[in-house]
Structures are given as C-alpha cells and as structure tokens.
Amino acid sequence: MVQDKEVLQALVKQGLMTKDQAKEIHANKERILQGVILKNKNSSVKKGDHPLTMVDAIVNYGMNRADRKTEKLDEDNIFQALASEWGVPYRKIDPLKLNLNLVTSTVHRSFAMKHLVLPLEMKDGELVVATPYPHNRDVMDDLRRVTNMRIRAVVTSKSDTLKYLHEFFGFQKSIAEAENMFSGPAVDLGNLEQYVKLKSMDELPSTDHHIINAVNHLFGYAFDQRASDIHIEPMRDETHVRMRIDGMLHVVYKLPKKVHNAIVSRIKALSRLDMAEKRKPQDGRIKTDKDGVEVEIRVSTVPVAFGEKVVMRVLHPDTMFQDLPALGFSEESLGRYHEFIKMPHGIILVCGPTGSGKSTTLYSTLRKLSTSAINITTVEDPIEMVHEGFNQIAVQPLVGITFGTILRNILRQDPDVIMIGEMRDLETAENAAQAAMTGHLVLSTLHTNDAASAITRLLDLGIPSYIIQATLVGVMGQRLVRKICDYCKEDYTVSEETLKSMGLDTGMPGDTVLHRGKGCIKCRGTGYLGRIAIFEILKFTEAIRRLTTSEADVTAIKEKAVEEGMVTLRRDAVQKMLSGMTTCEEVLRVTWGTD
C-alpha cells in the first residue's frame, strides 16, 4: 500500500500538483472516499479486497494538473509519477498485447486478484508482471518460488490491473467451461433484425451460460478498443480472434478449437441466422447499445477450410454520421463537394476500395441534406446504419429486389435524393441515369482506384458516353490515413533528397519539418490515434465532358482535371502530412499506385 504522504510528495515534486492542492486533497480525503463508496455500492465487481487510497481520492476529486491546467490529473499520471520516484518502469497495459494463456495460467486467479499482479510477458527465464505495488517483497518472493523464474515488476495503475484481471480470468473461465458444455444448437430460420441487450463486463452473473459470457466479452472488448471489425477465424487446431483498429488487424485471442462452433452458433442466434446451415455464406445484423447509444453490428459468415469464419463490422453512429468538415476535407475540397450536393439533379459518385470510408461520406452527406422538405430514399446491400430521416430499402435478390429493379419502383415514391449503395452492373447504372435525367439527385459508390477511373468504369459497364455527359455532376475518390497521436506528436526534419527518394514531392526546397508520434499510453505505442480521409474531387466540367467519349483516356481526363484545379489523392495526403495530421509512411502506404 502506498502511503498518502508518499503520493502527495511525488506529485508536488514533479509539478503535477501544488502544495495548496496537496493540502486541500489531504483535508478532504475521507469525504471524497465516502462518496466513492456510496457510488460503487451497487457494483457487482467487488473491490472490498482493495481498500480505497489517496490515489482514488485524487482521481475522483477531479483535480486539474498543475502543469497543464486544461487536463485532469488521472490515475495514469499519478502512477507514472510514483514509478519515476521509485525508479521502476511504468507500463500502460495494452490488452492487444496480453497473452490470455500467460495471464491466466502463470498465477492462480485468487493470488493475482488479492495482490494485483498481472503477468505481461515471459522471456529467458524472466517473468514481467505489472502491479501498482512493485515493492511488495513477500509477493514477489512467492511469485519467484511458484514460477521458478526471475521476477521483474513494472508499475501500472490499480484500475487497469483490476480491469484486465477480471476480464481475462472471466473470459478464460467462460472458454474453459464452454469446452465442456458444447452441445448441438437448435435451428432458427428467422432473418429479422433483433435488438440485443448486451451486458457490460461487470454485469455478467456467474449463472449465465459460459459461451454467452464469452461472446459478450468479445463485443465489449471490441467497443473498448474502438475496433471497426471482429474476425473469428477457425484454424486447424485453434481459433483466432482478430480485431481491426485504425485500419490494422491485431490478433487478440487464440482460443481452443472446441469452442469455435459454440461461439459461431451464439453469434448466429443473435443475428437471427440459420444455425444449421454451415455450407453457405450468410449475412445478418445485431443491434445493441454502447453507453446508451445504439450500435449496429453487421455479421457475415462464410465456410473456409477449417470451419465457418465470422466477420462482424461494428457500425457506430458517431463514426457513420459526422459533420462533413470533420471527415478531412480541405476548405477548397469542401467547397467543391458542396457545389455537387447542392445540384437539383445528376449523379455524384464516391470512389475507393473497401474500407476507405465511402459509406461514412455518403451517410454524413445524406444527414446534411436531410430536412422535412426533402425525401431521401436509399437502396443498400445491406442497410449499414438505420436512420429515421431516410427511407432505407435493403436489397433482397431472392424476392426480386435488386439495385436495378427497385430503382423503377423508387421513382414512383416521389424522391428528391436517391442513394444507391453500389453501382455494380449495367441495369443499376442505367436506372440511376434515368433517375438523374428525370430530376433526381443520385449518390452512389464505385470501386475504382481514383476519380478519373470512374468515368471509364461507367463506360465499361455499358453506359453510353452521351448519357454520362448528360447526368454526371462529379466524382470523389477517397482513402483513409491514420492520424498522428496528438498526445505524443513530435517534429523532425527530413531533407528534400530523402523525400524525393521516397517518391514524395512537397514542392518545397530544402529541409522539411514533418511530424510523427513517439508512441505513448494513449496510442498503445503506435504513434497513431484515429483516422482521417484524403480526397480528390473531379468536377465534371465542359472540358471533361468533351473528353468523355467511347474511347475515353483516363490519363487525359486526370490531367485535364488537375489542370482545372483538382487536388489528387497523393497531393491531398502530402498536404495533410505537411500540416502535421499524418506521416510520410502513411502517405506512401495509402497512396501507393496513385499519382
């Protein structure tokens, strides 16, 4: 246990707290902790084994840092200061790097929970453990005897240690029990959306079926880590659970193969898929909530070599519906795009590969256009995010509802704006063009590498050039780049020659000051936190129309568009790099193969 005096002295010495603040918090400690006890009285996570301390009082008091008055003095700050005073490394736990088997099999649960020790890694006969109390010699000696290894302690916060011990041991117990409780699932032929109330981590009662707990844990874990996709992949001897965070996949768990079918069956039950059908791909959806906000999860199953793979896309309304300026538009690009969406009729295309943010751009655009005076109708496969301001239609080929066929019916619904999820065939493109020519604004997506290629893609689909000339308003290409973490951003200088050797032309002579993330507890040491879009916006001007013939040349169209002011994807990415939003490595990774 850390003494009150030791905590306050460390914080004052390191400039995180003034002497007056230290006196204030010392005088109010008992009152603050009494309030914490009352607030947590109904929590099902019992913390009685770990008495509240001065650290808890400071965190719950909500005091601002003395050196940065706009930031709260949080638990990480406090334990970092203590670790510095003790001369012990501080480690912010990254759950993505924790090994489930190491955490749960190295130390007995009761010992780990009582003494707050969390195994992090094992290498060359040494076990690294995270704990808020690194100087508890008796505990370290016991660990040394039990594991027969050298013990190296690093400091971490008490709440993080408790959180991950609860989650990992709870998840491991659920998985272990599920191995013995697997039984054949019943068949459910329903295919309707179902609202599922998931329980939070500290609401899971011990009487629940273990596989339900395990699946709920996966969802909660994904929400906490800001994951956009969850992959459950069967291998020969085990199942891998991977999550995509800021565009990158991370392996988070390796589970026994025995529980794979049970986990898949539970997810199928939640998304109302046919649990008996394992040979055909299926698509479904789950609606749940996170912190009082509805979240939709798109579920896709497909048979692979060693079983059924499940991919779940997490669709959060805060991500799908944003203000257009927040997406990453420059002032000039936003002005151009506003010109497009203000048009009374015509076709606007958003282009890019899967996962480039096209749906977010379209939904954010529709929300901006949505008023009581505008009738917006969408055709999607599937509906990604339900919004009451739109009339949303799901493609259902089995009953004859396709992108192409439904458009004829939509025109009798008196729409002002039509959004088509993807212009994927001639029938869809022809009907979209017909809608545009009869006075409707049509928004859709195309899978092309850049904006200019969209024109030749329409020609390849079979749309005559004169129809394109009459209906197309503009095309926007986009990608997503990772943003530099604001908490650990630093400057560095790169020479003009180095940038040119990488294929980056900034247009600036001499050395250039760029930015990167050093890696910190906020970004898990990656240097990146969140993503932002890069755009190229091609306005379908008279000069571009003249180039749109049956023998249209992509290069000529792109060159003319640049001549008329289009900023290419590469150039927009370079501008964001120079302004400190992203790194040169991200620019090269995302814009590879573009000019």
Side-chain angles (χ1 to χ4, degrees):
M1 190 71 66
V2 187
Q3 299 299 315
D4 293 357
K5 185 177 179 181
E6 186 179 2
V7 174
L8 297 174
Q9 284 179 343
L11 295 175
V12 171
K13 181 180 177 181
Q14 297 196 28
L16 298 175
M17 179 185 288
T18 65
K19 289 183 178 179
D20 288 341
Q21 285 177 317
K23 291 177 181 176
E24 179 184 349
I25 197 74
H26 189 270
N28 289 283
K29 176 190 171 185
E30 296 305 323
R31 178 181 60 81
I32 299 166
L33 294 183
Q34 191 60 40
V36 175
I37 292 169
L38 290 174
K39 186 171 68 174
N40 294 331
K41 186 169 63 173
N42 296 324
S43 173
S44 60
V45 177
K46 304 303 180 187
K47 300 180 181 178
D49 292 340
H50 304 286
L52 297 173
T53 66
M54 175 60 76
V55 175
D56 299 293
I58 296 170
V59 172
N60 284 277
Y61 195 54
M63 183 178 290
N64 288 342
R65 292 175 54 147
D67 57 343
R68 299 178 198 165
K69 304 206 180 282
T70 58
E71 295 181 22
K72 294 292 183 184
L73 184 57
D74 61 25
E75 192 176 3
D76 284 318
N77 299 149
I78 298 168
F79 277 99
Q80 273 183 300
L82 289 169
S84 178
E85 289 298 302
W86 295 333
V88 180
Y90 180 80
R91 181 84 63 91
K92 176 67 176 177
I93 297 174
D94 181 355
L96 298 180
K97 295 179 181 177
L98 289 178
N99 184 308
L100 176 66
N101 291 331
L102 177 66
V103 171
T104 57
S105 63
T106 308
V107 182
H108 194 274
R109 174 177 182 148
S110 59
F111 184 90
M113 294 297 296
K114 180 179 180 180
H115 300 292
L116 294 183
V117 287
L118 176 65
L120 295 181
E121 56 190 69
M122 186 186 295
K123 187 177 180 181
D124 299 329
E126 181 180 72
L127 177 67
V128 180
V129 295
T131 176
Y133 311 123
H135 296 309
N136 192 329
R137 294 187 180 279
D138 291 340
V139 173
M140 299 304 154
D141 288 341
D142 288 342
L143 277 175
R144 192 177 299 110
R145 283 192 294 272
V146 169
T147 62
N148 198 28
M149 302 181 76
R150 300 189 308 276
I151 305 298
R152 178 162 63 89
V154 295
V155 178
T156 192
S157 67
K158 184 174 78 171
S159 61
D160 274 0
T161 310
L162 272 170
K163 173 183 171 66
Y164 295 118
L165 284 174
H166 274 293
E167 289 186 9
F168 276 70
F169 274 107
F171 184 57
Q172 188 273 341
K173 181 180 178 183
S174 296
I175 292 298
E177 293 291 339
E179 283 190 84
N180 301 320
M181 296 179 67
F182 177 78
S183 59
V187 177
D188 183 351
L189 297 177
N191 193 34
L192 298 175
E193 183 179 272
Q194 180 184 19
Y195 191 92
V196 181
K197 171 67 171 138
L198 297 179
K199 298 169 184 175
S200 66
M201 296 301 180
D202 58 356
E203 288 178 327
L204 296 174
S206 58
T207 54
D208 268 19
H209 195 288
H210 295 289
I211 206 67
I212 295 175
N213 291 359
V215 172
N216 282 344
H217 170 86
L218 290 178
F219 285 135
Y221 190 92
F223 295 159
D224 287 345
Q225 302 304 316
R226 302 179 297 106
S228 61
D229 299 87
I230 308 167
H231 293 233
I232 300 176
E233 302 172 310
M235 303 296 174
R236 186 181 299 277
D237 300 314
E238 59 188 8
T239 291
H240 290 185
V241 178
R242 296 196 290 172
M243 294 186 185
R244 190 178 297 278
I245 301 170
D246 290 340
M248 299 295 181
L249 278 171
H250 303 265
V251 176
V252 295
Y253 291 123
K254 294 181 180 180
L255 307 179
K257 185 65 178 291
K258 287 182 180 179
V259 304
H260 179 81
N261 288 339
I263 288 175
V264 172
S265 294
R266 173 59 182 166
I267 292 169
K268 282 184 172 182
L270 292 176
S271 50
R272 293 294 181 93
L273 297 180
D274 183 351
M275 289 188 288
E277 179 57 75
K278 302 178 185 297
R279 299 167 299 171
K280 295 179 182 178
Q282 296 188 70
D283 293 304
R285 65 194 309 115
I286 300 168
K287 185 186 290 185
T288 182
D289 67 89
K290 178 184 183 292
D291 300 329
V293 177
E294 281 191 5
V295 177
E296 298 206 23
I297 301 171
R298 251 174 47 191
V299 180
S300 171
T301 68
V302 66
V304 294
F306 299 110
E308 277 188 288
K309 176 177 177 178
V310 179
V311 175
M312 293 173 282
R313 171 152 289 185
V314 181
L315 302 167
H316 196 287
D318 290 346
T319 302
M320 297 296 290
F321 297 102
Q322 300 186 40
D323 293 332
L324 290 177
L327 296 178
F329 286 101
S330 66
E331 188 173 338
E332 180 184 355
S333 295
L334 186 59
R336 276 196 168 204
Y337 189 58
H338 274 153
E339 285 181 35
F340 293 176
I341 63 178
K342 287 178 181 176
M343 297 293 287
H345 55 81
I347 296 175
I348 300 169
L349 296 175
V350 179
C351 303
T354 301
S356 60
K358 300 187 299 297
S359 295
T360 297
T361 298
L362 286 178
Y363 273 121
S364 300
T365 301
L366 293 179
R367 190 180 71 167
K368 178 175 177 59
L369 294 173
S370 180
T371 67
S372 59
I374 298 291
N375 179 18
I376 296 175
T377 302
T378 75
V379 187
E380 304 172 62
D381 182 19
I383 295 172
E384 293 204 47
M385 178 64 69
V386 175
H387 189 280
E388 292 183 355
F390 317 147
N391 301 289
Q392 295 171 280
I393 302 168
V395 168
Q396 299 180 67
L398 293 178
V399 293
I401 300 177
T402 65
F403 281 119
T405 58
I406 195 63
L407 280 170
R408 291 193 290 270
N409 302 96
I410 285 176
L411 295 181
R412 293 192 285 271
Q413 289 286 313
D414 188 29
D416 296 292
V417 178
I418 300 170
M419 191 272 273
I420 304 168
E422 183 184 348
M423 208 171 286
R424 59 174 62 161
D425 53 40
L426 177 59
E427 184 183 20
T428 304
E430 284 179 333
N431 283 289
Q434 181 64 35
M437 287 191 290
T438 53
H440 306 87
L441 185 64
V442 179
L443 291 84
S444 189
T445 68
L446 269 180
H447 288 285
T448 62
N449 286 331
D450 56 22
S453 299
I455 295 172
T456 54
R457 174 67 176 147
L458 290 176
L459 290 167
D460 291 341
L461 286 174
I463 302 298
S465 57
Y466 66 88
I467 296 291
I468 299 173
Q469 293 169 358
T471 57
L472 193 59
V473 170
V475 184
M476 181 166 70
Q478 70 176 78
R479 299 282 196 284
L480 293 175
V481 294
R482 289 184 291 173
K483 290 173 61 180
I484 298 172
C485 175
D486 288 330
Y487 296 95
C488 61
K489 183 187 290 187
E490 66 175 4
D491 300 341
Y492 70 105
T493 303
V494 183
S495 68
E496 182 181 2
E497 293 75 21
T498 301
L499 286 173
K500 284 185 176 178
S501 69
M502 297 165 65
L504 294 175
D505 182 9
T506 63
M508 299 166 59
D511 294 346
T512 301
V513 176
L514 298 181
H515 303 81
R516 62 191 173 197
K518 291 186 293 186
C520 67
I521 59 177
K522 299 288 186 181
C523 62
R524 301 189 196 90
T526 63
Y528 298 101
L529 189 61
R531 290 188 289 176
I532 194 168
I534 57 172
F535 300 100
E536 65 177 17
I537 301 181
L538 186 154
K539 185 176 181 180
F540 202 63
T541 62
E542 189 58 41
I544 303 292
R545 280 190 176 87
R546 287 195 295 269
L547 292 172
T548 304
T549 65
S550 57
E551 303 297 327
D553 178 44
V554 173
T555 303
I557 292 172
K558 187 166 187 174
E559 288 175 353
K560 177 55 71 173
V562 171
E563 184 183 317
E564 294 185 332
M566 182 182 82
V567 177
T568 64
L569 284 169
R570 170 64 68 90
R571 175 52 53 185
D572 190 41
V574 168
Q575 289 175 355
K576 287 181 168 64
M577 175 188 77
L578 294 174
S579 64
M581 294 183 186
T582 192
T583 63
C584 59
E585 290 82 8
E586 274 296 284
V587 172
L588 291 169
R589 181 182 70 85
V590 174
T591 64
W592 183 86
T594 65
D595 296 328

